[in-house]
Amino acid sequence: MGLFNKKRRSDLPMFWKEYETLFQKKPTENLQEVRFVVLDTETTGFDYAKDRILSIGALTLQNAKISLADSFSAYLEQEVYSEETVKIHGIRKEGRNDTIPEEEALQRFLAFLGNAVIIAHHALFDIHMINAALQRLDLPDLKNRYLDTATLYKKTRLRSNLLQQQENYTLDELADKFNISKKDRHTALGDAYITAIAFLKIMAKLREKREVTLKWLLK
């Protein structure tokens, strides 16, 4: 449970209250009307307690259209540094002059996210990292529903006792299977874009087999 329990709800900041208010209205179940936010984070590592978010990238997907004009990108000031993960994402501690504090980044991100349905590859990692950051600010966890492209991709695969199902699919594997360019791989916004295209490809495959509803996707 988050540290926010120590703080009375009346003491929560206005940006959080505005975010929570968006969930009071019953969300639409019409897939064409649902606003999805495709999300990716670059981090110093995989430990929710010790590691930190270096950058957040997100874009809007609605009615099967990716909106690059409606996107979000932020680089966070670094308190934690890992030489090993720098080899992957290339974000160095003193390498940028446009970094912002964690609290400001989260405030801006929540304003962009709203009550959208989150899409991410291995979504729980990104969500847990953001929740850990929110807890450091004495705030509750994200309230958004989410979809994981790694899980959804498995639904497109043939099920047979003769075929061994792969346990996990990386974003690189999905990009290769769907012939998606990996030009901006390992940047938060670049990976969000790859994930968005992969999601649309997955949806097309799923619709070949059945009627697809938001409720079914969220199962």
Side-chain angles (χ1 to χ4, degrees):
M1 296 187 64
L3 298 174
F4 72 89
N5 291 304
K6 297 178 181 178
K7 183 181 286 188
R8 292 177 301 176
R9 187 152 297 276
S10 60
D11 293 334
L12 292 171
M14 183 56 66
F15 75 84
W16 181 267
K17 292 178 181 177
E18 291 173 351
Y19 165 73
E20 280 193 329
T21 299
L22 298 173
F23 293 88
Q24 293 177 2
K25 183 180 178 181
K26 185 178 179 180
T28 180
E29 297 297 316
N30 185 332
L31 270 176
Q32 292 183 324
E33 297 176 359
V34 174
R35 178 175 178 257
F36 296 99
V37 164
V38 191
L39 164 69
D40 184 74
T41 60
E42 296 297 328
T43 67
T44 58
F46 302 102
D47 188 310
Y48 301 130
K50 295 179 181 178
D51 285 302
R52 297 292 185 269
I53 298 171
L54 297 173
S55 65
I56 303 173
L59 49 83
T60 295
L61 190 159
Q62 193 165 22
N63 195 18
K65 295 178 182 177
I66 300 168
S67 177
L68 294 176
D70 190 12
S71 62
F72 174 88
S73 180
Y75 287 86
L76 282 64
E77 293 176 356
Q78 292 189 43
E79 297 176 3
V80 177
Y81 180 75
S82 168
E83 189 64 45
E84 287 303 308
T85 56
V86 166
K87 297 174 185 177
I88 299 172
H89 50 63
I91 304 173
R92 297 193 171 277
K93 191 169 185 179
E94 305 300 334
R96 302 187 67 93
N97 58 11
D98 59 348
T99 58
I100 57 177
E102 184 176 71
E103 182 172 7
E104 181 181 347
L106 289 171
Q107 182 174 346
R108 290 186 191 180
F109 173 67
L110 289 176
F112 174 79
L113 176 63
N115 62 350
V117 176
I118 292 171
I119 299 173
H121 195 73
H122 298 143
L124 281 178
F125 173 75
D126 298 287
I127 290 169
H128 284 328
M129 286 299 293
I130 291 172
N131 284 341
L134 289 169
Q135 289 174 14
R136 285 193 290 276
L137 298 174
D138 210 11
L139 294 171
D141 291 344
L142 289 173
K143 298 175 68 64
N144 306 72
R145 296 178 293 175
Y146 69 90
L147 295 170
D148 187 338
T149 45
T151 301
L152 291 177
Y153 179 69
K154 291 181 184 179
K155 294 185 178 184
T156 71
R157 308 295 290 167
L158 288 173
R159 294 192 178 186
S160 169
N161 293 330
L162 301 176
L163 296 173
Q164 185 175 0
Q165 286 288 330
Q166 189 170 322
E167 188 67 26
N168 238 321
Y169 292 91
T170 66
L171 188 57
D172 283 317
E173 287 175 313
L174 261 63
D176 290 339
K177 289 177 186 294
F178 291 127
N179 295 315
I180 304 170
S181 170
K182 293 185 280 186
K183 178 183 176 184
D184 293 319
R185 182 76 172 95
H186 295 304
T187 65
L189 194 55
D191 283 358
Y193 183 65
I194 294 170
T195 302
I197 297 175
F199 175 74
L200 293 178
K201 300 276 190 180
I202 290 168
M203 289 290 286
K205 279 189 165 291
L206 291 174
R207 284 183 169 128
E208 292 174 0
K209 299 181 178 182
R210 57 163 295 146
E211 180 184 357
V212 178
T213 65
L214 182 61
K215 184 177 181 180
W216 182 78
L217 289 172
L218 289 166
K219 281 183 179 178

